Amino acid sequence: METIPANSEQLKYQSAIAHVKKMREFYNNLAVYCVVITGLAIFNFKTAPYHLWFLYPLFFWGLGLAIRGVKLFGPQLFLGKEWEERKIAEIMNEEK
């Protein structure tokens, strides 16, 4: 049984689909974060305004969301879009 090698266009398309899926998940998480933190802040101010406990989930959940955003958008922001191809070529040249 032979395997048919996938051409680069198919690989790029599959990679783009995966990236868009991750972006959609990130934006959904961001929307939920905004709604829930707003609700927690309102609940906190109504029940115990002297102790701002909503700041803990605001910070830690926000930190996790920020890390996820940097993982998702970081390579494009810091290294450009072609950094993966350059790195692959560099590794292949080292192996030769």
Side-chain angles (χ1 to χ4, degrees), residues 16-88:
I17 288 174
H19 188 72
V20 168
K21 182 179 177 185
K22 288 178 185 177
M23 286 175 62
R24 182 178 51 220
E25 291 173 359
F26 174 76
Y27 287 127
N28 286 340
N29 288 340
L30 182 62
V32 169
Y33 170 78
C34 292
V35 170
V36 170
I37 292 298
T38 302
L40 288 176
I42 291 169
F43 183 72
N44 183 199
F45 287 129
K46 294 245 183 219
T47 58
Y50 50 86
H51 184 296
L52 302 177
W53 54 262
F54 82 95
L55 292 175
Y56 300 116
L58 175 98
F59 175 72
F60 290 111
W61 190 1
L63 181 64
L65 196 59
I67 291 170
R68 190 171 185 178
V70 168
K71 280 184 185 177
L72 183 62
F73 299 112
Q76 290 89 3
L77 293 175
F78 303 119
L79 301 172
K81 291 186 179 183
E82 292 83 24
W83 74 272
E84 291 177 347
E85 295 172 6
R86 287 193 309 249
K87 193 65 175 177
I88 290 170

